[in-house]
Amino acid sequence: MVNFVYPEELYLFVESIRCFQVRDVGSSKWLEVHEMIIKLSQQAALEVAEQREEEVKEFLISRDKLSVLINEAYCVNLWKSRVLPHLLEIDPNPQATFLIYTVLYHEAAVVALLDLCLYHPSGCESLQDSVLDLIDYAAQGVAQVIGLVSMGYHENETKLDVDEAVLTELERQKRDLIYKIGLRCVSLLSYLADNVSLFHLGAARRMLVTHDIPWLIVDVLSFRPWQRKTSKGLEKFIDEKWTSVDDVTKIIKPEAQAWFCARQLLLSPQIVDYYPLNEARCKQLSKLACMMHETLLDQLPVLVELKQYVSRLTISGNTGKKTKNLILEDMPQIQDNLIKEVERDGGFYQVAQNQDGVFLNNNREEICALATKLTSAYGTEILCELEQHMADLELKKDEAKSDDSATATTSEESDEKTHKCGKCQVPAKKKCANCKLVHYCSRECQLKDWPQHKDSCLNCVD
């Protein structure tokens, strides 16, 4: 069995994860923990892909490490936006950029782990006060993606922004990771919205008032950053890469999560009172009505309620002012604490000068030694073995499909007789348009069964 982290190593890896300061980024201790986070991220993704027991997720939650991961995401984000520009001022063309890319990729690996852990309510519950920091981080990540899409960044074959032609390779890598992280942040917001009852009231207020997440999600659904048009046809962002698709109506994970987030925030009775509808918000939310077509509702039938809500909103307009509840709001701490620590170190420019010898090192032997160490950390040999294993599984699936198609015509009538509705158990011909695993006799039964069917259906979207 392929593993990036073996069971006997798992406890040590998880326990070794700790909070770092911006000044520590790129140090030997930081790189050791970086290796462990990379391997944990790969192992967690492997466990989900092969439907194993999710041991990485369980260890991270039980050892209260999600707040540490949020700290790491903020730490690298601050380094990327406040320290890296100073380093590039010192040396605009560093000889070896792989260590800089390693730091940038560290943030993506951390967010991937958070994405896998927060899919489960137990992960959300373990966030406690750090949920406020995560809301701020995810909202910023989604806003950055919207900014990139508005410049035509994702459709880079035809719509280049002015700066794209002169961007360095490092800047392109940086933007690619911002894009991937931002799309994962859509899922993070969806998970938080779905479990908002597990948090204190300040979390709901921060989502609805401070960041106006419903407005932000409408923008995401309007810009559709998960798809683009190229000379080869339509492509969608599936499994962290752009993939040509034949069925353009097929809903993929980021789009589904955006819709679920909007539905939960607008229809949840626990938090709706914290979102008063003024004229501007009504106008923004009404954009959802034209996006909820029949094909979308067939794949995500739970959105029928959202469409009815938006339709009523479009007709009635502003429903009046809601009562404003007085809340003593908690404030996020992680980013502020990191910035205060940087100020004690002399500021971001001083940190950049202190890290000059690490990131702008011109010693060829030291660069080669570090590159060799990092290459082993990324487990390229194991990745090749895993890719071959997954390719073999896909081949077996294709062979099974071809065998099924050979007998499909002769067995179609008998199949219709044996399939039963997933809700009422009467004979059913229609099946879920997304997972194609569960049959229903009517849309009404599909809607009623959605709370039970949701988890298995979303796994198919993933």
Side-chain angles (χ1 to χ4, degrees):
M1 181 182 294
V2 179
N3 278 300
F4 293 97
V5 181
Y6 290 97
E8 57 270 19
E9 300 175 315
L10 191 54
Y11 179 81
L12 173 64
F13 276 41
V14 172
E15 281 297 309
S16 298
I17 298 175
R18 62 184 181 86
C19 294
F20 285 95
Q21 299 298 327
V22 177
R23 63 173 176 267
D24 300 320
V25 173
S27 65
S28 58
K29 291 183 179 180
W30 185 91
L31 286 171
E32 289 177 4
V33 174
H34 166 74
E35 292 180 34
M36 295 179 184
I37 287 179
I38 292 298
K39 290 182 178 179
L40 286 172
S41 177
Q42 292 169 337
Q43 181 67 22
L46 179 62
E47 290 172 351
V48 172
E50 296 191 345
Q51 298 182 349
R52 301 188 200 170
E53 183 179 355
E54 296 181 46
E55 294 182 351
V56 174
K57 179 262 298 182
E58 291 296 337
F59 267 94
L60 288 171
I61 293 174
S62 63
R63 304 308 299 172
D64 196 23
K65 293 294 182 179
L66 296 194
S67 60
V68 178
L69 293 178
I70 296 172
N71 181 92
E72 283 300 282
Y74 264 115
C75 183
V76 174
N77 190 273
L78 282 172
W79 184 91
K80 174 179 67 180
S81 59
R82 308 286 291 275
V83 176
L84 180 57
H86 291 309
L87 285 170
L88 297 179
E89 286 176 4
I90 298 172
D91 185 356
N93 297 298
Q95 290 188 6
T97 60
F98 68 89
L99 183 55
I100 296 176
Y101 180 78
T102 296
V103 177
L104 300 179
Y105 186 72
H106 184 83
E107 183 182 6
V110 166
V111 174
L113 278 174
L114 287 171
D115 188 1
L116 292 171
C117 291
L118 296 179
Y119 175 79
H120 305 272
S122 59
C124 292
E125 192 172 10
S126 70
L127 290 175
Q128 299 180 4
D129 289 342
S130 62
V131 66
L132 300 178
D133 298 275
L134 184 58
I135 291 171
D136 287 1
Y137 178 86
Q140 179 186 357
V142 174
Q144 287 180 326
V145 166
I146 294 173
L148 288 175
V149 175
S150 66
M151 295 188 299
Y153 172 74
H154 67 316
E155 297 189 2
N156 53 18
E157 287 191 349
T158 57
K159 296 182 180 180
L160 296 178
D161 67 289
V162 177
D163 296 328
E164 181 70 15
V166 295
L167 286 178
T168 64
E169 181 62 26
L170 181 62
E171 184 65 20
R172 290 191 181 92
Q173 293 172 341
K174 178 181 172 182
R175 288 193 177 190
D176 285 343
L177 288 173
I178 288 175
Y179 204 85
K180 293 178 180 180
I181 290 170
L183 288 179
R184 283 197 181 271
C185 284
V186 174
S187 296
L188 295 182
L189 288 176
S190 177
Y191 302 148
L192 296 178
D194 199 35
N195 295 282
V196 72
S197 60
L198 299 176
F199 311 128
H200 50 75
L201 294 177
R205 179 176 175 80
R206 200 153 191 87
M207 295 184 77
L208 295 173
V209 178
T210 306
H211 295 291
D212 202 342
I213 299 300
W215 186 296
L216 193 65
I217 291 297
V218 173
D219 281 341
V220 170
L221 290 167
S222 299
F223 280 105
R224 301 176 66 81
W226 42 79
Q227 73 177 40
R228 68 180 184 182
K229 293 180 181 179
T230 69
S231 58
K232 299 179 182 178
L234 188 70
E235 294 182 343
K236 292 196 174 186
F237 199 76
I238 303 173
D239 295 334
E240 300 282 305
K241 60 181 179 294
W242 290 106
T243 306
S244 298
V245 292
D246 296 325
D247 185 3
V248 298
T249 61
K250 174 74 173 178
I251 304 298
I252 63 173
K253 177 183 175 180
E255 184 175 6
Q257 295 293 6
W259 280 112
F260 293 146
C261 183
R263 178 189 180 277
Q264 187 64 23
L265 290 176
L266 295 174
L267 300 184
S268 175
Q270 297 100 327
I271 61 176
V272 68
D273 289 341
Y274 301 104
Y275 195 65
L277 294 172
N278 53 34
E279 184 177 351
R281 283 175 172 171
C282 289
K283 184 177 180 180
Q284 176 75 350
L285 296 177
S286 64
K287 296 178 183 178
L288 295 174
C290 61
M291 303 182 204
M292 287 185 279
H293 45 75
E294 285 298 317
T295 306
L296 173 67
L297 297 179
D298 284 341
Q299 296 179 69
L300 303 176
V302 71
L303 296 182
V304 170
E305 296 176 66
L306 180 61
K307 184 173 184 179
Q308 293 171 349
Y309 170 83
V310 174
S311 298
R312 290 195 301 268
L313 188 65
T314 305
I315 296 173
S316 61
N318 190 355
T319 56
K321 294 183 178 180
K322 298 281 185 179
T323 302
K324 292 186 178 181
N325 298 311
L326 178 62
I327 297 177
L328 297 177
E329 185 176 3
D330 292 330
M331 298 301 293
Q333 299 293 324
I334 292 177
Q335 181 171 238
D336 288 343
N337 291 338
L338 286 168
I339 293 175
K340 288 177 182 178
E341 194 65 29
V342 170
E343 291 172 352
R344 293 191 190 100
D345 294 332
F348 288 101
Y349 183 72
Q350 184 62 48
V351 171
Q353 287 186 318
N354 295 340
Q355 295 179 343
D356 182 351
V358 176
F359 291 99
L360 305 178
N361 189 355
N362 293 325
N363 187 308
R364 184 176 295 275
E365 292 183 0
E366 293 180 5
I367 291 173
C368 291
L370 183 58
T372 302
K373 182 180 180 181
L374 290 174
T375 299
S376 63
Y378 285 99
T380 51
E381 293 182 0
I382 298 178
L383 283 172
C384 292
E385 183 181 348
L386 176 60
E387 287 177 359
Q388 183 61 47
H389 175 63
M390 299 304 289
D392 292 341
L393 289 177
E394 289 296 327
L395 182 61
K396 291 179 181 179
K397 288 181 181 179
D398 292 340
E399 291 175 352
K401 287 181 181 178
S402 61
D403 293 339
D404 292 342
S405 60
T407 58
T409 305
T410 56
S411 62
E412 183 176 355
E413 293 182 1
S414 61
D415 283 346
E416 291 180 359
K417 293 178 182 179
T418 56
H419 289 308
K420 293 184 178 181
C421 176
K423 183 64 179 177
C424 65
Q425 302 302 312
V426 302
K429 297 181 180 180
K430 298 179 180 179
K431 56 186 174 182
C432 176
N434 181 55
C435 67
K436 304 189 187 308
L437 297 176
V438 181
H439 287 69
Y440 295 101
C441 62
S442 63
R443 176 174 286 184
E444 288 73 19
C445 279
Q446 188 176 14
L447 282 171
K448 293 177 182 178
D449 191 50
W450 177 250
Q452 290 73 36
H453 179 54
K454 176 180 176 181
D455 288 342
S456 59
C457 190
L458 286 181
N459 285 334
C460 294
V461 176
D462 294 343

